[in-house]
Amino acid sequence: MGSSIRWASFLVSAALLVSCKTQLQPTVNKVQYYQIDANYSIDSAIVKYYSPYKIQLESEMNRVIGFSDAHLTKTREAESLAANFFTDALLWKGQQLDPAVQVSFATKGGIRSDLKAGNITVGNIFEIMPFENSVTVLTLSGKDMLRWADYMARTGGQPASGIKLLIENKKVKEFLVQGKPIDPNQTYKLVTYDYLANGGDYVDFLDQVLDRKDYTQRIRESLMEYVSELTKQGKHIQATIDGRVRIIE
């Protein structure tokens, strides 16, 4: 705990230094360490202050919004159950925002957790997508769609929906969008999130987009809406490995 206190003091000092316009150089005249352990009694006034917020937060996080028939695992494989659930939900939301959207794209690193079988809570969705990323719809040329496929082939496959991609020796062997080969003379609409659209996660094929539309809709909110909509229809989450991204050994 002592190291935590030292780090906290350092961060506070750094924040104050950055926020000042004057060029101040921090100095330490005397260092004193405090041991924080079970010998310290709980401050009832502080507990009383935050308890209502804690109860409200826990109530919302534990709210059940759906049900998954299987444990949706997050793996580094070309295709995973969690990835297919995630991108199917993203494609669903993208087509709500723009019916012309044909495909969705995420990365393995952006999906942060498995989704266990059974009840799905709001907290479970936060675990999968804890970031504040929002929905972005991009218009790409046929050429840049092929660059997307090359990116996925080089990186061992990435989460996607609306496609069929066959990879051999880190090269694209087959690439279909909505069941059809890419037409270099056509344009395509892809839904993703702002972090990737800005080049995050080493995404290098979105530097020449023909059009970009950013929405305030959070990815996390989209996942919740997708699960809730299935629940309204009396359906469960039933993600499967369907061969949308496959590597030939």
Side-chain angles (χ1 to χ4, degrees):
M1 291 297 294
S3 61
S4 298
I5 295 297
R6 292 195 297 274
W7 267 109
S9 299
F10 169 78
L11 291 173
V12 170
S13 299
L16 290 173
L17 179 61
V18 171
S19 65
C20 295
K21 293 183 178 179
T22 55
Q23 297 297 318
L24 300 178
Q25 295 297 324
T27 59
V28 178
N29 296 322
K30 182 180 179 181
V31 176
Q32 185 171 357
Y33 298 99
Y34 297 90
Q35 184 69 29
I36 299 179
D37 53 30
N39 292 323
Y40 278 82
S41 60
I42 297 175
D43 189 322
S44 59
I46 293 177
V47 172
K48 183 178 179 180
Y49 178 80
Y50 75 70
S51 286
Y53 302 101
K54 180 175 182 289
I55 293 171
Q56 183 179 2
L57 178 62
E58 289 178 344
S59 175
E60 175 60 15
M61 288 294 120
N62 293 327
R63 181 168 60 88
V64 176
I65 58 175
F67 190 93
S68 179
D69 287 340
H71 184 141
L72 306 187
T73 52
K74 169 188 175 295
T75 72
R76 301 301 298 179
E77 301 298 321
E79 189 180 350
S80 74
L81 290 174
N84 287 359
F85 158 73
F86 188 100
T87 50
D88 285 350
L90 182 55
L91 181 58
W92 172 83
K93 173 48 66 175
Q95 290 176 335
Q96 279 193 330
L97 297 170
D98 184 342
V101 167
Q102 296 153 290
V103 294
S104 64
F105 164 64
T107 57
K108 297 169 187 173
I111 301 172
R112 307 302 288 187
S113 176
D114 290 1
L115 187 65
K116 295 181 180 179
N119 287 335
I120 301 171
T121 65
V122 170
N124 295 146
I125 302 300
F126 267 81
E127 290 169 357
I128 292 175
M129 173 48 77
F131 311 114
E132 295 301 302
N133 299 137
S134 57
V135 176
T136 297
V137 172
L138 305 173
T139 302
L140 304 180
S141 66
K143 178 182 177 181
D144 284 334
M145 289 290 286
L146 293 174
R147 290 176 65 204
W148 173 36
D150 287 336
Y151 167 85
M152 290 194 285
R154 294 194 318 267
T155 57
Q158 295 294 341
S161 187
I163 70 165
K164 180 179 180 182
L165 176 63
L166 197 58
I167 303 167
E168 185 175 22
N169 297 323
K170 294 190 176 182
K171 300 291 184 181
V172 177
K173 188 174 180 63
E174 181 183 39
F175 182 49
L176 304 177
V177 169
Q178 296 295 337
K180 298 178 181 179
I182 291 293
D183 183 344
N185 298 316
Q186 293 294 322
T187 59
Y188 298 83
K189 287 199 173 183
L190 175 150
V191 61
T192 185
Y193 40 95
D194 52 354
Y195 174 72
L196 299 183
N198 292 336
D201 230 349
Y202 304 102
V203 169
D204 59 2
F205 62 91
L206 296 177
D207 56 342
Q208 300 177 34
V209 298
L210 302 176
D211 188 50
R212 172 172 175 166
K213 173 66 176 177
D214 292 307
Y215 294 86
T216 58
Q217 175 84 18
R218 296 286 188 268
I219 297 296
R220 182 171 55 245
E221 296 166 351
S222 300
L223 298 178
M224 292 180 194
E225 288 179 13
Y226 178 70
V227 173
S228 297
E229 180 60 29
L230 288 176
T231 301
K232 289 178 184 178
Q233 297 175 16
K235 299 178 181 178
H236 295 170
I237 298 299
Q238 296 177 322
T240 60
I241 300 296
D242 54 21
R244 66 183 68 180
V245 181
R246 189 159 63 92
I247 298 176
I248 301 175
E249 300 295 340

